[in-house]
Amino acid sequence: FEDASTYQHVLSKIGRGLQDPVRFTLRKGQTPARLAAQMGWAFQADSAAFASVLHDSTLHEDPDIALPTFFSRMLPDTYEFYWDTEPKEVISRIQKVFDQKTRELYQSIPDDKRAMSLEDAIKMASIVEWEAAKDDEKPRIAGLYYNRLRRGMRLQADPTVNYAIGERRRLFYEDYRVRHPFNTYRIKGLPPAPINNPALSSIKAALLPEEHDYLYMVAEPGATGYH
């Protein structure tokens, strides 16, 4: 209700069961559990209902999309929904926006300019999403990891270790030794699936990484957010 609503307007709206759409902002870099929790807070259904839909293999139409990859297609953006929209409809609409925008992005890049397939770019983008605090540095960080891949080096990406141990925190030496299929300090190549839902800017950076010779990076002192 707006501040200046009259009693008659309020009672009439309630009596007729009318509702206005609410704006829902889906945050980037979320894991499935955090995605479900955020959606459960914003809608009538609880987080368990959204978690169930995120693991529903009948929801998405593309049989080539594996379930561990599905949640990464929840494109960070602001959407309008009714508060009581069913979880399946919420997730389906968000995924359709992802499909449309990533298809447009992918097709806008010439074949000979794309660094990798869209599926691999989403995996790379999810790493860049947790690594880069600044959008303008994303292509540079993607280029660094791309250089490692081309040289046959391990990615050694800290975000994959954070995902493997289930916490986003400062890492210790023993964390890098954890046996997990996503730990890129132990496995070669990209992880088996994305580790979060990356923003479109991260996907673009993975498809069009900056060309340079960097192989290593360290955070700048002073908490600038850059490397």
Side-chain angles (χ1 to χ4, degrees), residues 3-179:
D3 293 342
S5 296
T6 64
Y7 287 125
Q8 182 180 5
H9 173 74
V10 171
L11 294 173
S12 174
K13 193 169 186 178
I14 292 174
R16 289 182 293 160
L18 302 179
Q19 63 170 308
D20 299 317
V22 294
R23 293 174 69 83
F24 169 64
T25 299
L26 181 61
R27 294 192 297 271
K28 60 186 179 181
Q30 300 296 301
T31 59
R34 288 181 177 273
L35 274 171
Q38 186 189 358
M39 290 174 173
W41 179 85
F43 295 96
Q44 177 176 288
D46 61 20
S47 59
F50 283 99
S52 176
V53 174
L54 283 170
H55 292 86
D56 184 357
S57 61
T58 66
L59 179 63
H60 46 89
E61 300 173 357
D62 189 344
D64 295 328
I65 300 175
L67 274 178
T69 304
F70 181 51
F71 83 96
S72 67
R73 285 167 155 74
M74 300 293 100
L75 188 69
D77 207 337
T78 297
Y79 303 86
E80 284 196 347
F81 291 99
Y82 289 116
W83 177 66
D84 58 358
T85 305
E86 291 293 323
K88 195 166 187 175
E89 183 180 345
V90 171
I91 290 174
S92 178
R93 276 181 54 191
I94 294 174
Q95 188 209 357
K96 286 177 181 176
V97 173
F98 174 93
D99 289 342
Q100 176 190 345
K101 290 192 174 182
T102 53
R103 183 166 53 248
E104 290 172 355
L105 171 63
Y106 190 76
Q107 292 174 350
S108 71
I109 303 171
D111 293 353
D112 60 339
K113 297 293 184 182
R114 298 182 201 127
M116 52 186 66
S117 68
L118 181 58
E119 292 302 311
D120 284 345
I122 296 169
K123 296 177 187 178
M124 176 71 83
S126 70
I127 296 174
V128 172
E129 189 62 65
W130 275 6
E131 194 74 76
K134 306 291 185 180
D135 280 355
D136 61 341
E137 197 182 42
K138 287 179 177 180
R140 181 165 298 174
I141 291 176
L144 182 150
Y145 284 128
Y146 187 61
N147 288 343
R148 291 183 184 179
L149 284 178
R150 286 193 303 179
R151 288 177 175 236
M153 299 170 61
R154 287 189 173 91
L155 281 183
Q156 295 186 330
D158 284 7
T160 64
V161 182
N162 287 121
Y163 182 84
I165 64 175
E167 293 183 79
R168 289 195 67 186
R169 57 162 171 79
R170 181 183 176 186
L171 297 172
F172 301 98
Y173 286 119
E174 58 266 27
D175 295 326
Y176 296 107
R177 295 194 292 268
V178 66
R179 291 187 176 276

